[in-house]
Amino acid sequence: MRYISTRAAQAPAAEGRRFCEILLEGLAPDGGLYLPAFYPQVNDSMLDAWRGVYHAQGYAALAYEVLSLYIDDIPAADLRALCEKTYTAEVFGSAAIVPLRRLDDGLWIEALSNGPTLAFKDMAMQLLGNLFEYELARRGEELNIFGATSGDTGSAAEYAMRGKKGVRVFMTSPQGRMSPFQQAQMFSLMDANIVNIAVKGVFDDCQDLVKAVSGDLDFKRKYRIGTVNSINWARLLAQVVYYFAGYIQATGSNREKVSFSVPSGNFGNVCAGHVARMMGLPIHQLVVATNENDVLDEFFRTGVYRVRTSADTHETSSPSMDISKASNFERFVFDLLGRDGARTRGLFVDALQRGGCFDLGPDPLFSQVASRYGFVSGRSTHADRLETIRTAWRNYGVMIDTHTADGLKVALERRVAGVAMVVLETALPIKFAATVMEALGREPERPARFDGIEALPKRVREMDADVAAVKALIAAECGY
Ligand SMILES: *Cc1c(COP(=O)(O)O)cnc(C)c1O
């Protein structure tokens, strides 16, 4: 399999890069995002075989089947071993890894949040940690991951990379802005290769630091600075697997269709659903659920993609979806435009830089968004979240977090008779306990392994938003 950029003038498949070449990279050199040159097709008999694989051998074996269609530069036995090492009942809490929980006839929640940090990002990040360690050892190289987080991404990255050979993580976060639970999760890690940096400032100050350090190309090269953000193709690919696992669990035969409702921010999660659908998985609709930061809902309703200013980006009670633009969205637009890289570049470079906006509404292709690609959308507010958390608890006896509530709210609006609806659970309620408390008047359950983590010793450096000081810290930790 070769990978091409969404901004390549023409798609010269044969000249594309291979999986391990793009594994450690972010954007393509032309500023686009990597996509496979084509989507391998899973026909009826293959899907039957995969059904058997998931039931008889489990999630790791299914992951190997999906991944091996996209990765041909890691020997099969090694790839299988990486999947088996990643997706274990010990790490993900059950043998099913992503069990479905029934709410009602044809209404399910797919549990993606029982990994080490209790958010779905573990599903991809845990695999990424093992892939990085494998590839870095093979090359005899090191990597220093330097990132900024306001919560879920940073902790998922740290729990995936802790103790991994060849990798260090330097993670900045705005001092005092994360929930006590999130701070405890990250700062209680004592692994030598994990460095937490609490920056005196807000999240944007952290992101500016990352940009400044990555923008110093000499420094970046010398210290091999990399990232693990959601545009990484390997992360997206890992997420494709649980759409297959969800489908297989919700159905008895391949004649049935299933819809997925996906709490969305950067469009990484639901883009993996798009890939699964393009591979031929019988998905009826992909329901994009946003919170008040509704840049995606606006696009799917009107064709207008309008990047928000920071003044126009709201702090909500589903904070992991508080985005001003959706960094993976360019991948879908590339497919929608018939893989026209020049036109995609035009929209994302020219149009966005000129006005922060483009409008595909008048284009006949836009009508295919629903009819051909299955996308529909909806949004919710804080009041909707509270109401949906109460509904789930009262009617179904299930406690859900604020992000999953956004997904369930829109799922209930989009349900159709005869098609199962699977809501992706993107975090456990304990991570966003204050809002769940507001809705239900009771504390969410806390998995036993997190008892008392707020009281554990913390390892974190407090620093000003000072580029030189951060560079000095990285250099000192690397010792060269
Ligand atoms: C990251 C995240 C999301 C949004 O996922 P995207 O892939 O960015 O669309 C939703 N919910 C939770 C809990 C998250 O951590």
Side-chain angles (χ1 to χ4, degrees):
M1 177 61 78
R2 300 284 169 157
Y3 291 89
I4 57 174
S5 164
T6 51
R7 295 185 188 176
Q10 265 181 331
E15 289 162 32
R17 324 266 316 264
R18 301 181 76 183
F19 179 82
C20 288
E21 293 178 284
I22 65 167
L23 172 64
L24 302 168
E25 278 180 37
L27 294 173
D30 62 10
L33 280 70
Y34 285 113
L35 272 179
F38 63 94
Y39 295 114
Q41 295 302 297
V42 178
N43 61 24
D44 195 48
S45 60
M46 255 172 108
L47 190 53
D48 270 338
W50 287 8
R51 199 180 275 285
V53 165
Y54 179 69
H55 287 309
Q57 300 168 48
Y59 189 90
L62 178 66
Y64 168 76
E65 296 296 334
V66 177
L67 266 51
S68 62
L69 299 178
Y70 290 94
I71 304 175
D72 51 17
D73 51 353
I74 295 177
D78 291 0
L79 185 59
R80 196 180 278 281
L82 287 166
C83 292
E84 276 163 10
K85 180 174 165 189
T86 302
Y87 297 109
T88 65
E90 294 80 70
V91 174
F92 287 96
S94 72
I97 307 295
V98 292
L100 285 198
R101 209 196 260 180
R102 182 182 174 280
L103 296 187
D104 197 355
D105 280 346
L107 183 64
W108 307 87
I109 284 190
E110 184 170 359
L112 304 178
S113 307
N114 295 296
T117 72
L118 308 184
F120 87 101
K121 292 190 171 66
D122 291 328
M123 293 301 305
M125 208 71 92
Q126 288 288 316
L127 180 71
L128 200 68
N130 286 325
L131 283 168
F132 274 20
E133 186 178 52
Y134 175 87
E135 182 59 16
L136 289 168
R138 194 157 78 159
R139 295 186 194 182
E141 286 179 11
E142 283 193 353
L143 183 72
N144 289 300
I145 294 167
F146 183 48
T149 189
S150 52
D152 289 341
T153 306
S155 56
E158 292 189 353
Y159 278 77
M161 303 298 165
R162 62 186 297 200
K164 293 278 186 290
K165 288 188 272 307
V167 190
R168 285 185 205 86
V169 178
F170 297 87
M171 191 58 66
T172 60
S173 57
Q175 188 171 33
R177 299 287 177 119
M178 292 191 294
S179 76
F181 186 87
Q182 286 175 317
Q183 291 185 40
Q185 264 189 329
M186 286 179 61
F187 300 166
S188 62
L189 288 178
M190 295 294 150
D191 306 78
N193 72 328
I194 304 295
V195 182
N196 285 302
I197 306 170
V199 174
K200 291 173 189 140
V202 295
F203 179 62
D204 281 341
D205 297 316
C206 300
Q207 271 192 316
D208 288 345
L209 279 175
V210 173
K211 277 187 207 142
V213 170
S214 309
D216 178 343
L217 294 183
D218 289 335
F219 186 87
K220 187 177 175 195
R221 211 169 299 121
K222 177 167 181 199
Y223 292 103
R224 299 178 184 279
I225 303 293
T227 58
V228 287
N229 49 30
S230 81
I231 56 152
N232 182 293
W233 167 254
R235 275 183 68 180
L236 206 131
L237 177 58
Q239 293 170 347
V240 173
V241 180
Y242 55 68
Y243 284 87
F244 280 90
Y247 177 83
I248 288 168
Q249 291 179 84
T251 59
S253 90
N254 304 342
R255 283 187 302 282
E256 296 168 59
K257 284 205 165 192
V258 170
S259 293
F260 287 90
S261 180
V262 188
S264 293
N266 275 318
F267 202 74
N269 196 351
V270 74
C271 194
H274 166 67
V275 171
R277 197 173 181 279
M278 296 299 280
M279 292 170 73
L281 187 65
I283 295 176
H284 176 54
Q285 285 183 326
L286 290 164
V287 182
V288 178
T290 76
N291 61 20
E292 292 90 331
N293 297 292
D294 55 359
V295 40
L296 287 169
D297 180 44
E298 183 179 6
F299 173 79
F300 285 107
R301 278 185 298 105
T302 66
V304 172
Y305 183 67
R306 185 171 56 86
V307 171
R308 309 300 199 243
T309 60
S310 47
D312 205 9
T313 306
H314 311 282
E315 268 187 47
T316 75
S317 48
S318 46
S320 300
M321 293 156 57
D322 292 351
I323 48 108
S324 55
K325 61 180 168 53
S327 48
N328 275 288
F329 183 57
E330 185 170 332
R331 288 191 157 110
F332 171 65
V333 171
F334 179 66
D335 282 344
L336 178 67
L337 299 179
R339 299 206 140 197
D340 181 339
R343 194 165 169 214
T344 306
R345 161 184 289 280
L347 292 180
F348 281 86
V349 180
D350 307 340
L352 284 189
Q353 272 168 10
R354 258 201 328 272
C357 183
F358 62 74
D359 183 3
L360 288 178
D363 192 307
L365 287 175
F366 180 69
S367 67
Q368 298 185 352
V369 157
S371 62
R372 181 165 173 201
Y373 294 97
F375 277 101
V376 294
S377 70
R379 78 193 282 275
S380 55
T381 63
H382 181 68
D384 293 324
R385 281 190 278 288
L386 296 179
E387 192 48 43
T388 309
I389 291 169
R390 288 190 198 108
T391 304
W393 183 243
R394 257 195 246 117
N395 297 2
Y396 311 128
V398 170
M399 199 184 284
I400 57 174
D401 97 292
T402 51
H403 305 77
T404 310
D406 291 329
L408 179 58
K409 188 254 181 191
V410 184
L412 291 171
E413 295 166 354
R414 292 291 181 172
R415 241 172 126 191
V416 293
V419 180
M421 173 67 82
V422 176
V423 179
L424 298 187
E425 173 198 63
T426 56
L428 288 198
I430 184 68
K431 286 200 97 167
F432 302 95
T435 306
V436 176
M437 186 76 187
E438 186 184 343
L440 301 179
R442 61 160 73 206
E443 275 285 322
E445 242 180 66
R446 170 182 294 235
R449 65 183 191 275
F450 292 102
D451 276 344
I453 60 164
E454 287 91 342
L456 291 175
K458 293 189 170 56
R459 193 162 154 271
V460 54
R461 322 255 180 146
E462 291 172 6
M463 296 183 79
D464 291 317
D466 175 349
V467 178
V470 170
K471 283 183 180 168
L473 172 65
I474 293 174
E477 287 288 325
C478 293
Y480 55 84

